[in-house]
């Protein structure tokens, strides 16, 4: 029993031991399962890293000589690359300074920008060397199978990009994009700030030229000084230097031209130059803009000698370091945009206007203004950059000379053509005669003679023709003598000889008076002038004799002194003779009331001669025989005028103005005085 019991115990112990062993095995299996579960992803990670590990250990498997040389090649490639990276880091270190406002410290800003340019230049010059060394080491690794192919492929791809970037030698947008990749746009941002500072300096220091008034232009004889302080000019030059080095000069010039052109135009605004925009269609003839031409000459001289002269000097001061072509081109653009072409266009408009004798004088005025400024034009606008202004000026001068010469040479023909026109009905001086005498005096006067001579000389030279020294005077004398011939023709055209004589007196006196003491009169000679004075005297004598000189004969005393037939018969004879006198006077006055003597001295003299021929006779007659009719109920029919009224009427004849009778207006004198004058007076009252 004991033995059996012992055997059972052992069996139980064995089961317990087996149970424990199984339990431990299960726990280990569970732990292994958990470990295996965690190991799976690690295997995947290891699998992914195997190529890298293979590449890393490849040099170990590479040829010994290849491994020996690769170190030196790597060192030579890494050195330049490290230097490039160091400079590149320095470029980014300048960013804060270059993004600040240059106004605060322009000198320091330009210094920093120059450092950036030097750094970028270093990068541009050394990147190629670094890339070349890196390409060499990659090629060495590839040839000797020292590195992994995939790794080498990525390196080659990166190096190709760097090489393409470095070898990009394009212009314009391509080059700008390359620079942006190199410095991230920092240099462009800095250059933009410099351009803005350039504009600010100009605008803040560009002030329109002060003027007291447009009428005081002649008093401003001195040339305007440079309007920018020297310190500002130095700053502008410093900015220009940096911008020019970065191909920004054109933009700078554009800014300069814009600001300074606006400044010049602002200076000109005070002159009220709206008339420069007048077109040919906006005026009827040159007289409608005659007043503007004098202004134009003064304004042009002011603009050239003050404004454009100042801009010329300032362009030289600012751009002198960049060469003559640069600053002359800049000035030419300012002149064109500020209004120089508008001045020249106005002159062209005048040349395009209707052909008229007055236009000749205006063309000469314009020529005088341009000729006066010829030296200034040649100096300011003589460069190649001002070719547009030069061409416009040459064309204008040619138009002026051709137009003036054409008008002058046609004057004689135009005078001769006027013979066909009828003479004036008022016996006055025809507009042609008064105009031509005054006009020719102006042409030969001090103001126009030398200019017209110069214009005609140039015009003849263009046609390879010779111009005689006295040709101008010869032609003017021909015009005056043509006027003489016209007078002869016109006198013969009057059906009324009295009016013809009145006309001859009028016009011969006009020629004598308006040519005596002039250059024309001196060339015509004293005998010619005396002849016209004698013609005037002759026609005046004939005119008075055949018209007003006949009136006193109606107041004859014949038969009154020796008459003894009584007062009634004498009164009837006086009435008859007074009526005849009044009728003849009224008829004569009515006939000549519209006649005109424009020259006051001649008019006063003729009227005085008429008064002396009639009034004394009338006064004496009325003193002696007026009492015979003054008490008659019908006396107003015979005594129409008092002596005072008669003298006043005769003294008021031939006035050139339509309202020549004052308060009498257009009412016939006989009717007017009948209403206003009390004729029932004593004989002494009539006196």
């Amino acid at each position: 029993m004991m033995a059996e019991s012992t055997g059972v115990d052992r069996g139980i112990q064995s089961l317990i031991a087996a149970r424990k062993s199984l339990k431990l095995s299960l726990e280990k299996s569970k732990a292994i399962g958990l470990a295996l579960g965690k190991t799976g992803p690690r295997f995947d990670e290891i699998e992914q890293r195997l190529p890298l590990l293979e590449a890393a250990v490849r040099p170990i498997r590479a040829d010994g000589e290849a491994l020996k040389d690769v170190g030196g090649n790597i060192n030579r490639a890494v050195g330049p690359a490290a230097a490039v990276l160091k400079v590149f880091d320095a470029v980014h270190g300048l960013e804060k300074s270059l993004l600040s406002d240059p106004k605060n410290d322009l000198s320091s800003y330009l210094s920093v920008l120059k450092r950036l340019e030097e750094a970028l230049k270093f990068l541009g010059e050394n990147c190629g060397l670094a890339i070349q060394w890196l390409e060499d080491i990659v090629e060495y690794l590839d040839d000797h199978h020292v590195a992994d192919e995939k790794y080498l492929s990525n390196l080659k791809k990166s190096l190709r990009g760097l090489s393409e970037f470095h070898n990009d030698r394009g212009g314009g947008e391509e080059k700008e994009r390359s620079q942006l990749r190199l410095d991230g746009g920092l240099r462009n941002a800095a250059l933009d700030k410099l351009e803005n500072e350039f504009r600010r300096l100009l605008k803040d220091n560009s002030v329109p030229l002060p003027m007291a008034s447009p009428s005081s232009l002649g008093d401003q004889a001195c040339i305007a000084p440079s309007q920018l302080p020297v310190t500002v000019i130095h700053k502008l030059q410093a900015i220009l230097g940096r911008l020019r080095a970065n191909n920004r000069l054109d933009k700078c010039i554009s800014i300069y031209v814009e600001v300074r052109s606006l400044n010049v135009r602002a200076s000109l605004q005070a002159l009220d130059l709206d008339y420069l925009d007048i077109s040919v269609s906006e005026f009827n003839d040159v007289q409608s803009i005659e007043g503007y031409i004098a202004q134009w000459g003064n304004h042009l001289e002011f603009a050239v000698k003050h404004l454009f002269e100042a801009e010329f000097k300032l362009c030289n001061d600012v751009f002198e370091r960049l060469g003559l072509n640069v600053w002359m081109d800049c000035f030419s653009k300012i002149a064109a945009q500020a209004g120089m072409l508008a001045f020249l266009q106005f002159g062209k408009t005048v040349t395009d206007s209707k052909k008229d004798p007055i236009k000749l004088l205006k063309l000469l005025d314009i020529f005088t203004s341009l000729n006066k400024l010829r030296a200034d034009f040649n100096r300011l606008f003589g460069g190649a950059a001002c070719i547009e202004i030069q061409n416009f000026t040459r064309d204008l001068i040619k138009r002026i000379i051709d137009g003036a010469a054409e008008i002058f040479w046609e004057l004689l023909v135009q005078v001769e053509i006027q013979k066909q026109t009828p003479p004036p009905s008022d016996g006055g001086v025809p507009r042609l005669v008064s105009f031509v005498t005054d006009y020719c005096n102006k042409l030969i006067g001090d103001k126009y003679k030398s200019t017209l001579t110069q214009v005609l000389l140039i015009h003849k030279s263009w046609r390879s023709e010779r111009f005689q020294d006295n040709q101008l005077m010869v032609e003017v004398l021909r015009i005056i003598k043509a006027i003489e011939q016209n007078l002869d023709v016109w006198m013969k055209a009057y059906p009324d000889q009295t009016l013809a004589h009145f006309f001859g007196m009028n016009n011969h006196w006009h020629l004598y008076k308006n040519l005596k003491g002039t250059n024309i009169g001196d060339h015509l000679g004293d005998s010619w002038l005396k002849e016209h004075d004698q013609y005037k005297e002759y026609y005046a004598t004939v005119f008075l004799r055949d018209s007003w000189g006949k009136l006193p004969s109606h107041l004859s005393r014949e038969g009154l002194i020796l008459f003894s037939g009584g007062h009634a018969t004498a009164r009837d004879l006086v009435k008859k003779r007074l009526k005849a006198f009044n009728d003849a006077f009224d008829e004569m006055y009515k006939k000549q009331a519209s006649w005109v003597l424009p020259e006051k001295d001649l008019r006063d003299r003729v009227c005085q001669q008429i008064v002396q021929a009639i009034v004394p006779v009338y006064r004496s007659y009325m003193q002696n025989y007026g009492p015979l009719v003054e008490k008659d109920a019908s006396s107003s029919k015979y005594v129409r005028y008092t002596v005072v009224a008669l003298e006043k009427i005769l003294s008021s004849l031939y006035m050139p103005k339509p309202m020549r009778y004052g308060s009498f207006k257009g009412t016939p004198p006989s009717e007017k005085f009948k209403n206003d004058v009390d004729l029932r007076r004593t004989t002494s009252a009539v006196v």
Side-chain angles (χ1 to χ4, degrees):
M1 288 293 293
M2 285 294 287
E4 292 179 358
S5 175
T6 303
V8 172
D9 291 338
R10 290 178 179 170
I12 293 172
Q13 290 295 325
S14 296
L15 288 172
I16 292 172
R19 175 175 170 272
K20 290 181 178 180
S21 177
L22 181 60
K23 185 177 180 180
L24 290 172
S25 297
L26 288 173
E27 289 177 354
K28 288 181 179 181
S29 297
K30 186 177 180 180
I32 291 172
L34 291 173
L36 289 173
K38 294 179 179 180
T39 303
R42 292 180 63 189
F43 279 125
D44 293 338
E45 181 180 351
I46 291 171
E47 184 178 4
Q48 292 176 359
R49 293 177 62 186
L50 281 176
L52 297 177
L53 293 174
E54 182 180 3
V57 299
R58 175 165 297 194
I60 301 175
R61 303 198 306 269
D63 182 78
E65 292 296 328
L67 290 175
K68 181 179 179 181
D69 294 336
V70 72
N73 289 330
I74 291 174
N75 289 335
R76 284 192 297 271
V78 170
V84 167
L85 290 176
K86 184 176 181 181
V87 173
F88 188 74
D89 289 338
V91 167
H92 286 282
L94 303 176
E95 183 173 356
K96 182 178 180 181
S97 298
L98 292 176
L99 293 181
S100 63
D101 193 343
K103 176 182 178 181
N104 299 327
D105 190 347
L106 179 61
S107 178
S108 297
Y109 191 92
L110 293 173
S111 177
V112 173
L113 178 58
K114 188 174 182 181
R115 286 169 55 195
L116 173 64
E117 294 170 7
E118 293 172 349
L120 293 177
K121 181 180 180 181
F122 176 86
L123 291 177
E125 293 175 350
N126 290 276
C127 278
L129 179 61
I131 292 171
Q132 183 178 352
W133 280 106
L134 290 174
E135 287 176 342
D136 289 345
I137 188 59
V138 169
E139 182 179 357
Y140 181 87
L141 294 175
D142 188 22
D143 291 343
H144 294 81
H145 305 288
V146 175
D148 179 68
E149 293 181 0
K150 185 176 181 181
Y151 177 72
L152 291 176
S153 176
N154 290 334
L155 282 178
K156 290 177 181 180
K157 183 177 180 181
S158 298
L159 289 175
R160 279 196 302 270
L162 288 174
S163 181
E164 290 174 0
F165 169 80
H166 174 70
N167 294 327
D168 188 355
R169 292 292 184 263
E173 295 182 359
E174 284 295 328
K175 188 172 183 179
E176 186 174 349
R177 283 196 294 268
S178 296
Q179 292 175 348
L180 288 174
R181 290 194 295 268
L182 193 61
D183 65 357
L186 180 59
R187 177 165 53 178
N188 280 343
L191 295 175
D192 290 342
K193 285 183 173 294
L194 278 183
E195 287 179 357
N196 292 335
E197 178 63 8
F198 188 83
R199 181 187 295 274
R200 186 196 68 79
L201 286 170
L202 280 174
K203 292 184 69 175
D204 289 354
N205 293 278
S206 294
V207 181
L209 189 65
M211 291 178 291
S213 66
S215 61
S216 64
L217 293 182
D219 300 330
Q220 300 185 16
C222 61
I223 295 177
S226 173
Q227 297 182 35
L228 297 184
V230 176
T231 55
V232 173
I233 292 177
H234 290 166
K235 289 182 179 180
L236 294 175
Q237 290 175 334
I239 294 175
L240 279 171
R242 294 269 50 83
L243 292 176
R244 184 192 187 192
N246 289 277
N247 300 316
R248 294 278 192 116
L249 182 59
D250 289 343
K251 182 65 179 297
C252 253
I253 291 177
S254 176
I255 293 172
Y256 185 90
V257 170
E258 175 191 346
V259 175
R260 295 303 299 179
S261 297
L262 290 175
N263 189 67
V264 175
R265 295 186 73 88
S267 298
L268 291 172
Q269 283 181 355
L271 302 181
D272 189 15
L273 300 178
D274 291 343
Y275 68 87
L276 293 180
D277 298 325
I278 292 178
S279 63
V280 176
S281 61
E282 290 178 312
F283 60 85
N284 297 324
D285 52 53
V286 73
Q287 294 184 19
S288 62
I289 59 169
E290 185 174 355
Y292 291 133
I293 294 177
Q295 292 185 51
W296 177 85
N298 291 332
H299 292 165
L300 177 63
E301 182 176 358
F302 172 79
V304 171
K305 287 186 172 295
H306 292 261
L307 300 179
F308 292 123
E309 175 71 27
E311 293 306 318
F312 184 83
K313 292 174 61 181
L314 188 59
C315 281
N316 182 27
D317 292 342
V318 174
F319 295 97
E320 62 177 341
R321 299 176 183 176
L322 305 182
L324 178 65
N325 292 338
V326 173
W327 71 263
M328 281 297 293
D329 180 65
C330 186
F331 170 72
S332 70
K333 292 176 181 177
I334 292 174
Q337 294 184 23
M340 188 62 212
L341 294 177
F343 278 105
L344 299 176
Q345 178 60 47
F346 176 83
K348 181 178 179 296
T349 300
V350 176
T351 65
D352 290 336
S353 64
K354 180 181 177 181
K355 187 163 58 177
D356 184 281
I358 293 296
K359 179 180 176 180
L360 170 57
L361 302 180
K362 299 303 107 184
L363 292 177
L364 295 179
D365 287 337
I366 294 176
F367 181 86
T368 299
S369 296
L370 292 174
N371 196 43
K372 183 179 180 181
L373 298 170
R374 181 174 56 181
D376 298 287
F377 265 69
N378 291 337
R379 181 169 50 83
L380 298 179
F381 311 115
C386 296
I387 189 65
E388 183 179 11
I389 294 177
Q390 294 170 28
N391 291 339
F392 209 134
T393 304
R394 279 193 291 266
D395 179 66
L396 175 58
I397 292 175
K398 186 177 187 304
R399 285 170 171 268
I400 291 171
I401 293 175
D402 287 342
E406 181 181 1
I407 294 173
F408 177 77
W409 295 120
E410 288 184 1
L411 286 176
L412 178 60
V413 176
Q414 294 300 321
V415 170
E416 292 175 339
I417 290 175
Q418 295 300 313
K419 290 179 184 177
Q420 305 171 9
T421 62
S425 60
D426 60 6
V429 178
R431 170 62 179 157
L432 176 68
V433 176
S434 60
F435 174 81
V436 168
T437 52
D438 179 63
Y439 188 74
C440 288
N441 277 328
K442 287 182 178 179
L443 291 180
I444 304 299
D446 295 337
K447 182 177 180 180
Y448 291 110
K449 182 179 179 180
S450 60
T451 302
L452 179 56
T453 301
Q454 184 179 1
V455 166
L456 296 178
L457 177 62
I458 295 172
H459 188 260
K460 286 282 188 180
S461 67
W462 287 349
R463 288 157 177 73
S464 300
E465 299 175 2
R466 187 177 179 183
F467 183 77
Q468 302 293 340
D469 293 340
N470 63 340
Q471 192 168 350
L472 174 59
M473 181 59 72
V474 169
E475 190 68 18
V476 169
L477 296 182
R478 291 178 63 192
I479 295 172
I480 296 298
K481 292 177 180 179
I483 288 291
E484 284 186 289
Q485 296 174 6
N486 285 16
L487 293 180
D488 293 338
V489 173
W490 285 331
M491 282 190 67
K492 295 175 182 178
Y494 283 110
D496 184 347
Q497 285 301 302
T498 302
L499 181 56
H501 295 150
F502 182 85
F503 174 83
M505 170 188 67
N506 224 340
N507 286 273
H508 284 287
W509 173 249
H510 180 86
L511 290 178
Y512 174 80
K513 179 182 178 182
N514 289 277
L515 295 178
K516 182 177 175 60
T518 66
N519 288 337
I520 298 176
D522 293 342
H523 281 80
L524 289 169
D526 290 338
S527 60
W528 185 93
L529 293 170
K530 186 176 181 180
E531 181 181 358
H532 282 278
D533 187 36
Q534 291 172 343
Y535 273 126
K536 181 266 299 182
E537 291 293 338
Y538 169 76
Y539 289 124
T541 301
V542 175
F543 162 71
L544 290 171
R545 182 195 68 194
D546 295 343
S547 57
W548 298 100
K550 294 180 178 181
L551 292 184
S553 64
H554 293 288
L555 299 176
S556 173
R557 302 188 183 197
E558 184 179 354
L560 293 177
I561 298 176
L562 301 176
F563 187 77
S564 58
H567 285 285
T569 303
R571 184 165 44 251
D572 291 341
L573 188 57
V574 170
K575 287 181 179 180
K576 181 180 179 180
R577 290 177 179 174
L578 283 175
K579 185 177 184 304
F581 173 84
N582 290 333
D583 290 344
F585 178 86
D586 288 348
E587 181 181 356
M588 189 70 67
Y589 183 86
K590 182 179 180 180
K591 178 181 179 180
Q592 298 188 20
S594 60
W595 294 5
V596 174
L597 287 173
E599 303 285 354
K600 185 178 184 304
D601 49 357
L602 179 62
R603 182 173 65 251
D604 291 344
R605 181 179 177 184
V606 170
C607 288
Q608 185 61 32
Q609 289 176 339
I610 295 173
V611 168
Q612 290 175 356
I614 297 175
V615 172
V617 176
Y618 184 76
R619 178 187 292 112
S620 177
Y621 196 83
M622 292 302 296
Q623 286 175 343
N624 289 297
Y625 306 108
L628 293 175
V629 297
E630 69 175 350
K631 295 181 180 180
D632 194 287
S634 60
S635 63
S636 61
K637 295 181 180 180
Y638 310 105
V639 185
R640 298 179 185 176
Y641 308 103
T642 65
V643 174
V644 175
L646 187 67
E647 183 175 359
K648 187 174 183 179
I649 292 172
L650 294 174
S651 299
S652 301
L653 284 168
Y654 314 128
M655 298 291 289
K657 295 182 179 180
M659 304 292 287
R660 57 181 177 275
Y661 304 117
S663 62
F664 302 156
K665 298 185 180 180
T667 307
S670 58
E671 296 297 327
K672 185 67 181 180
F673 282 101
K674 279 198 299 184
N675 295 332
D676 291 354
V677 180
D678 183 5
L679 301 179
R680 293 180 176 83
R681 303 178 181 180
T682 63
T683 302
S684 60
V686 174
V687 177

